Structure formats: C-alpha cells, structure tokens
C-alpha cells in the first residue's frame, strides 16, 4: 500500500545490483510513494547486475559513479540535480565489499591492501558521498541521508571479517558528519542496522545460511527482510521523521536486545 509519503521528493540511490538487494527494493518503494531518483553504481557492478531493468521500471536515469572517486561523485551530484530539477531530499548509501572475504583471507591473516580497498568502498565512501553533497549544498532542508550497516559493528561475528571494522567506521561517520549536516544545513543522517539479509553481498559471508537461521530463532519478530528494510528506509526519507538524526537504528526483529530466546535454549537442551 502506498501513502504518497515521498510525493515531490528527489534523491539518489546507491548500490542497486539485482532484485535481491535492499537498494533495489527501496527504489521500488520510493517510486510507489511518489519519489523520483537517479540510480548509481560502480561501472563494474552495473555490468554484473540488472540496474537497467530497475531504471525502466521506475522511470529513472542511471549515472555510473565510483563512490570512492571524488570527481565521479561531484559529477553525480551535479548531474542528478540537473536531471531531477533541483536540490535533493534523500540519499541511500547501500554499498559494501570486502576483498578479504572474497579471497578467503581470515581476519588474523588480512592482506592490508585488500583491507584498505574494502574500507574505502564500504565506509570511507560514505564520508566522500556526504562531503560531495555538503560542499555542493545539494540537499534541501530536512533532507535525509541513510546508510545500511550491521550489528557486527558492536558485537563479534567471527566470519564477518574486516567488514565489522568497516561498519563501525561507517556508523561513526554518520554521527560525526550528521552533526555538521544537521547544524548547518538541517539535513538528517542515520544508519539502519539490518537483520542478516540474503543479498548478493550477504550470501558471500562464510556460514551465512547457518547464521540467518540462528538470527531467525533469536529474534522475537523474526528477521527483517529486504522489503521490510525498504519500508523502514521510506519512513526515514519521509517528513514523519524530521527530528531523527545521528542514530544507528536497529531493524532486526528484536535480535539486538535479545540475550537468548527460548528456541535457542531448546536447541541446546537435552
């Protein structure tokens, strides 16, 4: 059901790869709620995914951009405002990648050039995106910027590897930049700490299937799906959350506040 929550609002959505991605689901929901947007992803990711299909479905234009490249981002921001006819109201940062995970390097045996690349893509890119928006004064007052994270930033999950460090950095950037964006341009910055979700990136983590089943048993409401996350993101893009900023918002069916569930106790009881 649509409520026209984003009627007249304009923005940029980073990271839509295929129909399993949260950015893809969010783009569909933004379109349903009356918002218009530009889609963007790194050129290599665009070759791997089906972003053109999403663009056609949502009447959107695509601007390729490497989120680690400042010139690409400057061009993206300028062209997006030209295409959309003015300043932006929302931005979704849904980008993450660990070369160490892809290459099977254990956390205690990192290749640091891999680490730096993953940090740049997954975390520092969020600062670069916001700095580009900030310097261009590209956001309307009461605009909303959201990035996706995971609670490995606070708790240890052995196979999440250096992505845990990246997410911790990402959340810190949201708080720090959120202060200046709020104080000086009345723009909100938040992160959503989502349940483990079977996206293309998520499924690349070792032992993902077992963990998603564990999280389902631990969460009183069950895991939040990609569609659920899209709905939550819409609420943060809307005017209904105008005073919510610098927050890391857990969207995980209650997992983050559950010590142990009865289902898990039963699993280990004789």
């Amino acid at each position: 059901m649509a409520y026209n929550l984003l009627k007249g609002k304009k923005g940029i959505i980073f990271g839509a790869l295929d129909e399993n991605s949260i950015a893809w689901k969010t783009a569909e929901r933004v379109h349903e709620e009356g918002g218009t947007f530009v889609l963007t992803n790194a050129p290599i990711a665009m070759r791997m995914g089906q972003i053109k299909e999403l663009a056609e479905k949502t009447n959107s234009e695509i601007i390729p951009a490497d989120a680690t490249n400042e010139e690409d981002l400057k061009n993206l921001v300028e062209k997006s405002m030209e295409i959309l006819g003015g300043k932006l109201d929302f931005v979704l940062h849904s980008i993450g990648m660990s070369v160490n995970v892809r290459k099977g390097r254990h956390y205690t045996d990192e290749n640091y050039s891999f680490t730096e690349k993953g940090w740049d893509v997954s975390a520092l890119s969020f600062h670069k995106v916001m700095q580009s928006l900030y310097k261009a004064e590209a956001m309307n007052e009461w605009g909303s910027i959201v990035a996706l994270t995971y609670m490995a930033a606070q708790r240890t999950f052995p196979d999440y590897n250096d992505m845990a460090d990246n997410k911790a950095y990402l959340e810190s950037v949201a708080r720090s930049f959120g202060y200046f964006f709020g104080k000086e341009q009345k723009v909100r910055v938040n992160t959503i700490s989502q349940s483990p979700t079977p996206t293309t990136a998520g499924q690349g983590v070792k032992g993902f299937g077992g963990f998603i089943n564990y999280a389902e048993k631990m969460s009183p409401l069950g895991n939040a799906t990609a569609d659920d996350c899209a709905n939550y993101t819409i609420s943060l893009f809307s005017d209904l959350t105008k005073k919510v900023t610098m927050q890391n918002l857990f969207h995980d069916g209650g997992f983050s506040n559950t010590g142990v569930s009865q289902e898990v106790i039963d699993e280990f009881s004789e």
Side-chain angles (χ1 to χ4, degrees):
M1 183 180 292
Y3 305 93
N4 279 328
L5 289 175
L6 303 181
K7 186 176 181 181
K9 293 190 181 296
K10 306 175 289 290
I12 302 174
I13 295 178
F14 287 79
L17 182 67
D18 55 40
E19 61 184 6
N20 294 317
S21 66
I22 293 171
W24 185 291
K25 302 290 189 184
T26 302
E28 291 178 329
R29 286 292 291 117
V30 170
H31 179 65
E32 290 170 3
E33 291 295 341
T36 56
F37 49 86
V38 163
L39 293 165
T40 186
N41 213 328
I44 187 170
M46 289 176 63
R47 290 196 294 271
M48 294 167 55
Q50 297 97 41
I51 194 171
K52 289 182 181 178
E53 177 187 327
L54 179 63
E56 291 172 5
K57 184 177 182 180
T58 59
N59 299 318
S60 304
E61 292 198 37
I62 303 169
I63 302 176
D66 178 350
T68 68
N69 184 297
E70 293 175 69
E71 283 302 312
D72 276 15
L73 291 172
K74 181 180 178 182
N75 177 66
L76 170 66
V77 170
E78 290 175 355
K79 284 194 172 180
S80 294
M81 288 194 289
E82 287 176 15
I83 290 167
L84 297 170
K87 290 189 176 186
L88 310 175
D89 301 290
F90 60 86
V91 174
L92 175 64
H93 179 284
S94 181
I95 308 169
M97 182 274 292
S98 167
V99 186
N100 281 306
V101 169
R102 286 184 180 178
K103 299 290 187 180
R105 298 294 292 258
H106 193 269
Y107 187 76
T108 59
D109 184 36
E110 286 189 10
N111 177 314
Y112 292 122
S113 65
F114 293 171
T115 305
E116 289 170 8
K117 179 63 176 175
W119 168 71
D120 196 11
V121 171
S122 305
L124 188 61
S125 67
F126 191 39
H127 192 286
K128 291 178 180 180
V129 167
M130 288 197 285
Q131 183 166 287
S132 299
L133 294 164
Y134 180 87
K135 286 185 173 181
E137 296 185 359
M139 299 293 295
N140 279 318
E141 284 195 355
W142 307 111
S144 176
I145 301 170
V146 173
L148 299 181
T149 185
Y150 182 56
M151 72 174 302
Q154 290 84 31
R155 299 185 188 178
T156 300
F157 297 89
D159 293 319
Y160 205 64
N161 210 304
D162 57 336
M163 277 302 296
D165 303 331
N166 295 337
K167 292 302 188 185
Y169 188 94
L170 178 88
E171 292 175 15
S172 180
V173 166
R175 289 187 293 271
S176 298
F177 219 123
Y179 172 82
F180 295 105
F181 240 142
K183 192 78 174 173
E184 297 170 22
Q185 297 186 19
K186 293 291 186 289
V187 173
R188 299 166 280 156
V189 181
N190 295 288
T191 53
I192 296 175
S193 189
Q194 167 70 0
S195 292
T197 310
T199 61
T200 301
Q203 293 179 78
V205 177
K206 182 182 174 184
F208 181 81
F211 182 68
I212 198 169
N213 291 332
Y214 169 75
E216 179 72 23
K217 290 177 181 286
M218 276 286 288
S219 307
L221 296 180
N223 290 329
T225 66
D227 286 309
D228 293 329
C229 190
N231 286 328
Y232 193 38
T233 304
I234 294 302
S235 74
L236 290 173
F237 285 168
S238 79
D239 290 336
L240 300 177
T241 51
K242 286 174 71 171
K243 292 300 179 73
V244 180
T245 195
M246 300 164 61
Q247 302 299 309
N248 180 47
L249 301 160
F250 289 100
H251 184 251
D252 58 9
F255 180 92
S256 50
N257 275 328
T258 302
V260 67
S261 67
Q262 189 62 50
E263 288 86 349
V264 171
I265 291 173
D266 292 344
E267 190 80 18
F268 289 94
S269 297
E270 295 183 356

